[in-house]
Amino acid sequence: MRSTFSALPTAAKLLLIMSLALLPVGVAMVWTAHRGISHANALLDQRAEEQDQAASRAIESLIARNTLALRVAASAAIATPDTRDCEEVGRSLAIAPGVSRNFSIELADGSEHCVTPNFLPPSGARFAKPGGIALWLDPGGNALFVRVGLIGGMATDRLPFSELASAARDVAPDVLSLQLDDGVSEAAVIGRPGGAPRRVRASTHHMAGGQLSIRVSVPTDRLSVGDWLLLLLPLTMWVIAAVVSWLLVSRLLILPLRRLERAVATYDPAAGGFVLPRGIGPAVEIESLGEAFARSVERIETSEREMGDALEGQRRLVREVHHRVKNNLQVVASLLSIHGRNVIAPEGRSAYAAIARRVDALAVVHRNHFAEGEDNRGIALRPLLTELSAGLRGSAPDEARRTAITLDVDSAATTQDVAVAAAFLVTEVVEFAMLRQPTAPIEIDLRRTSELTGRLTIESAVLTEIDGDDKDKVQFERVITGLARQLRSSLELRLGRMSVELPIFPA
């Protein structure tokens, strides 16, 4: 049995083979691309985390610098009651990078020691013990207050959100938002204009013992449409390669071959020469195959014409041979008839007549073998038996000229050998009947018994004679038995009836 793969069309086989061959390559490329994109995503997550932490550390560092500078400068000012020391504090803070110059200094009893002109007094101030720190948001402005506890007082600094935002932007330019929460209120130091990205990393950091919470939001990039297309590109290439190969084979090879196959299948020699179908594709091999088939068809047609001419010549020659044999047999039958009429003895005339009838029967077979207009399907038995019966009545003795011969014959044809044996058999029986009982009617039937056989039956009253000592009857039975053996059939004899099986051609 043919396997399932062998039963598939060529295009389907090619598509399957190309798919199996390119699939490992496509899978490997997809896996490699996925790993690369996953690694890139991990790096982006790491970068977002680093920016998040860097922004938080920048805020903490800015607050720590301001706290340290303010603590150092304010400690010296509190030690002397002269308010002019605030100018020294301002000059000390001015030389420190990234430190606010707006501050106030309070004594331990809460009285104000000194304050810079641009410093706005804080609302909702918090107490800071010596060595401690207090942080809170200005509810009325965009600033963060930083208060440090000193021995003998406190110092308060005001950090605008712009400075906090600048410090965070310097180390983390991709920060989307940065919010501060002092437990009472919250404010946005950095806010992203427009809509937020799809993926955002947000984290919260606490400082100063949880007095201030810093919430930082940083975007995290992920696979874009282009990245997905890049990931699926190897798989897409695999599918495109397989489909394009299938289309090329189908269009350039399979479809032209099927057109050529249909042209060959529908080719009719009687309709004319073989014509190549149009659109058999650009493949020169298929075009060469079609031309080779056309040349083969032309050679076959030439050979068939030559064979047909030779066969027609042979048929004419055979017809001529049979015609000449028939003429010669008729001449012999005429000579026998002439010589028989000149014989005085009745036995001699009967012998000449019997021989003439058999010769005439053989001539009838040859005349019917290649009749004009016949399609050479063998010898037709109906016209043969009709002509033979008429000839037998014409050559019968005077007392048997009115013998009734009834024919009931189906249309059937057979070979020349069978026709000769059947003609001799009918001649023997009819002659025997006319000579023994001239007035008894004779019936000849031929019926098909199968596709390849027919039964010839002859009925006559003479066949009821059972005189075993009659030499003529014994001779008659010997002759018809031999003819039946020549027909390779058993002779069936009953009272008044004789039948034999004949091989015939299919209808």
Side-chain angles (χ1 to χ4, degrees):
M1 291 181 61
R2 298 176 62 190
S3 63
T4 305
F5 180 78
S6 301
L8 292 175
T10 303
K13 291 179 182 176
L14 179 65
L15 180 61
L16 183 59
I17 293 173
M18 290 290 294
S19 301
L20 294 178
L22 296 178
L23 182 59
V25 179
V27 171
M29 295 180 68
V30 169
W31 179 75
T32 303
H34 185 269
R35 284 198 62 186
I37 294 176
S38 298
H39 181 65
N41 286 334
L43 292 178
L44 291 174
D45 290 339
Q46 183 179 356
R47 181 174 179 270
E49 182 180 1
E50 290 176 353
Q51 290 203 18
D52 177 8
Q53 295 177 358
S56 176
R57 286 196 297 268
I59 299 298
E60 293 178 358
S61 177
L62 179 61
I63 295 175
R65 286 198 306 271
N66 279 269
T67 301
L68 179 60
L70 185 61
R71 186 187 300 276
V72 172
S75 295
I78 292 178
T80 60
D82 192 354
T83 58
R84 289 177 296 180
D85 291 336
C86 286
E87 297 177 1
E88 292 293 332
V89 174
R91 285 192 292 270
S92 299
L93 295 178
I95 62 176
V99 176
S100 176
R101 299 179 181 85
N102 300 317
F103 62 90
S104 66
I105 299 176
E106 297 86 13
L107 298 175
D109 57 3
S111 62
E112 188 177 85
H113 179 61
C114 67
V115 61
T116 59
N118 295 326
F119 184 78
L120 299 176
S123 59
R126 296 183 181 182
F127 177 78
K129 63 183 179 178
I133 183 175
L135 301 173
W136 73 94
L137 298 174
D138 182 7
N142 296 326
L144 172 68
F145 287 105
V146 180
R147 173 168 286 179
V148 295
L150 306 170
I151 298 175
M154 296 180 296
T156 306
D157 192 2
R158 184 176 184 273
L159 297 177
F161 284 171
S162 59
E163 294 184 8
L164 297 176
S166 178
R169 292 287 193 188
D170 290 341
V171 296
D174 294 334
V175 172
L176 292 176
S177 65
L178 191 150
Q179 294 179 335
L180 300 179
D181 186 359
D182 61 359
V184 177
S185 61
E186 61 179 22
V189 176
I190 298 176
R192 183 178 184 275
R198 293 183 179 179
R199 297 181 60 87
V200 177
R201 172 185 174 84
S203 60
T204 303
H205 306 272
H206 303 281
M207 61 181 302
Q211 295 182 57
L212 185 67
S213 298
I214 304 174
R215 181 175 179 82
V216 183
S217 298
V218 181
T220 57
D221 296 330
R222 277 293 184 270
L223 255 64
S224 63
V225 177
D227 296 330
W228 277 111
L229 292 179
L230 181 63
L231 178 64
L232 297 177
L233 182 60
L235 187 62
T236 305
M237 292 175 59
W238 163 63
V239 175
I240 292 175
V243 173
V244 169
S245 301
W246 174 73
L247 288 176
L248 288 177
V249 172
S250 298
R251 295 294 180 182
L252 300 182
L253 295 178
I254 304 303
L255 185 59
L257 285 176
R258 287 180 177 174
R259 290 175 180 171
L260 185 60
E261 179 187 4
R262 286 195 295 269
V264 173
T266 57
Y267 165 65
D268 185 9
F274 178 75
V275 179
L276 285 176
R278 295 182 179 179
I280 59 175
V284 294
E285 293 81 6
I286 298 180
E287 186 176 357
S288 300
L289 176 62
E291 293 175 354
F293 184 79
R295 289 193 297 270
S296 300
V297 170
E298 184 178 357
R299 287 196 296 268
I300 292 173
E301 289 179 348
T302 302
S303 177
E304 287 182 350
R305 284 195 297 269
E306 294 175 354
M307 291 178 61
D309 295 340
L311 180 60
E312 182 62 24
Q314 183 180 5
R315 290 181 60 190
R316 291 178 181 176
L317 179 60
V318 173
R319 183 183 291 112
E320 182 65 21
V321 170
H322 281 279
H323 181 69
R324 291 180 181 272
V325 171
K326 183 263 298 180
N327 290 342
N328 293 334
L329 289 175
Q330 286 182 341
V331 171
V332 172
S334 299
L335 292 175
L336 290 173
S337 179
I338 293 173
H339 285 286
R341 285 195 296 270
N342 294 328
V343 175
I344 300 175
E347 294 82 0
R349 287 198 300 271
S350 297
Y352 273 106
I355 296 173
R357 280 190 287 270
R358 285 153 183 79
V359 171
D360 187 64
L362 188 58
V364 169
V365 173
H366 280 279
R367 183 165 54 251
N368 283 271
H369 185 69
F370 266 83
E372 290 295 334
E374 192 173 349
D375 193 21
N376 194 17
R377 292 285 298 171
I379 299 178
L381 292 175
R382 176 183 289 177
L384 173 67
L385 295 177
T386 301
E387 185 177 357
L388 182 62
S389 300
L392 290 174
R393 290 185 59 186
S395 63
D398 294 338
E399 62 274 12
R401 291 292 179 89
R402 296 183 179 180
T403 301
I405 302 178
T406 305
L407 294 175
D408 189 2
V409 181
D410 290 344
S411 296
T414 187
T415 62
Q416 181 181 358
D417 294 337
V418 175
V420 170
F424 282 155
L425 181 64
V426 172
T427 301
E428 291 291 338
V429 176
V430 172
E431 181 188 65
F432 183 75
M434 289 191 303
L435 294 178
R436 300 292 290 261
Q437 295 186 15
T439 59
I442 303 172
E443 295 183 4
I444 301 175
D445 292 339
L446 178 63
R447 293 285 180 270
R448 283 184 175 270
T449 56
S450 69
E451 187 70 14
L452 299 177
T453 58
R455 178 162 291 276
L456 176 64
T457 303
I458 304 175
E459 296 184 3
S460 175
V462 72
L463 298 177
T464 60
E465 298 179 1
I466 56 174
D467 186 4
D469 296 333
D470 190 344
K471 294 182 179 181
D472 293 337
K473 188 171 180 16
V474 173
Q475 178 68 18
F476 166 72
E477 292 179 352
R478 184 182 299 115
V479 171
I480 61 175
T481 302
L483 291 173
R485 283 198 297 268
Q486 187 176 352
L487 292 172
R488 297 180 182 179
S489 174
S490 59
L491 184 65
E492 182 180 345
L493 287 174
R494 296 182 181 178
L495 291 178
R497 181 178 181 180
M498 182 211 71
S499 63
V500 65
E501 200 82 15
L502 302 180
I504 59 177
F505 292 154

